[in-house]
Every structure is written in C-alpha cells, then in structure tokens.
Amino acid sequence: MSTFQILAIAGALALVGCGKKKEQLRSAMPGMQGMPGMMMRSDSLMPMMRADLDSLARMPSQSASRILQAHEAMASRMLDAMGSDMTMMNMRPASAWTALVDSVKQDLAELPSLSGRALETRVKAHEQRMRRLLDMHGAMMHKR
C-alpha cells in the first residue's frame, strides 16, 4: 500500500470520527462561518486535500506521476465543493479567485503529460497554487 493510500485512508477515518463533533461545535458557535450551524461542502474535504498536497510535495517527480490521477480527482471534488459553497452563500467570485482557479485547472490538465524536471517544477507550483486557493476560500467563507 502506498504512502498516499495510507494517508487518504487515515484522513477519511479521522473525518468520520470527528464529523459529528465538528458539526456540534459549529452549531454551538454561531457566526463562526457564513451562517450559524452551516457546514460548507468543502469543510470535509479540506483536511484530506491538505494531506494530499503534503504527500505530493514530498514525493519525487517520478513517483508523483503515479498519483496524479487520484490527485486530479480529489482536486476536482475540492473545486466543485468550493464553487458550491460560494453559490450557497450567494458569493460572486473575485477576479483573483477566478484567475487562480483557472491556473489550477490548467495545471490539472497539463500535469499528466509532463515528466522529469518539467513535472517536478509544475507539481511544486501547482501545490503552492492549491494551498493559496484553500487559504483564500477559507478566508472568504469565514468572513461572511
């Protein structure tokens, strides 16, 4: 079993174990998110996405090419969830948000065709863009 698979399973188990407590905490602390007690779709994916990015950042480029399909699927779910959160909150995307999302989508489309140094460089840049996107989304959701 690969390190990525182990991290994904551990992340999923941790989320299942603490999901109810997190929801109870949110409803007990109104105003901590967009609307009292509201769970954002992206909230449950954030820890797994960050673990995936940590794993991607530590992997040599020759190994990264093997997990890109799983990363692309997770990143796509994350982008969909963030878009859903924004729609639910009646938020219009800022131009900086749209540009960053477009760059991430371009990375996801082009990464599978890269290898060697080009893959290594692009994976590092993609990982940084994804982290900025996660941070930006978190800031937008907690401001409301």
Side-chain angles (χ1 to χ4, degrees), residues 114-133:
L114 301 175
S115 61
R117 185 64 138 177
L119 177 62
E120 184 179 326
T121 301
R122 189 66 174 268
V123 163
K124 185 173 184 159
H126 170 71
E127 181 251 330
Q128 292 170 350
R129 278 190 276 276
M130 282 296 300
R131 289 186 191 282
R132 279 197 315 271
L133 193 66

Side-chain angles (χ1 to χ4, degrees), residues 13-30 32-33 37-39 43-44:
L13 291 173
L15 285 175
V16 168
C18 68
K20 285 189 177 184
K21 289 180 185 175
K22 187 174 184 179
E23 189 172 327
Q24 290 166 348
L25 179 62
R26 285 183 193 282
S27 59
M29 296 176 18
M32 288 303 289
Q33 196 127 11
M38 180 182 284
M39 283 289 285
D43 286 350
S44 63

Side-chain angles (χ1 to χ4, degrees), residues 81-137:
M82 290 188 289
S84 176
D85 291 349
M86 292 173 72
T87 299
M88 186 170 56
M89 300 292 292
N90 295 318
M91 294 174 70
R92 294 177 51 111
S95 59
W97 172 265
T98 302
L100 188 53
V101 167
D102 288 347
S103 294
V104 165
K105 287 179 179 180
Q106 186 174 356
D107 289 342
L108 294 172
E110 294 175 3
L111 279 169
S113 66
L114 301 175
S115 61
R117 185 64 138 177
L119 177 62
E120 184 179 326
T121 301
R122 189 66 174 268
V123 163
K124 185 173 184 159
H126 170 71
E127 181 251 330
Q128 292 170 350
R129 278 190 276 276
M130 282 296 300
R131 289 186 191 282
R132 279 197 315 271
L133 193 66
L134 295 174
D135 292 343
M136 186 184 290
H137 182 72

Side-chain angles (χ1 to χ4, degrees), residues 45-109:
L45 296 174
M46 288 280 187
M48 288 189 309
M49 189 76 242
R50 289 190 191 282
D52 178 60
L53 291 171
D54 291 345
S55 178
L56 196 59
R58 286 190 303 270
M59 251 182 221
S61 61
Q62 63 271 22
S63 299
S65 63
R66 289 186 287 238
I67 67 157
L68 284 176
Q69 188 174 8
H71 171 73
E72 191 274 334
M74 181 179 287
S76 292
R77 282 194 313 274
M78 188 79 238
L79 290 170
D80 289 345
M82 290 188 289
S84 176
D85 291 349
M86 292 173 72
T87 299
M88 186 170 56
M89 300 292 292
N90 295 318
M91 294 174 70
R92 294 177 51 111
S95 59
W97 172 265
T98 302
L100 188 53
V101 167
D102 288 347
S103 294
V104 165
K105 287 179 179 180
Q106 186 174 356
D107 289 342
L108 294 172

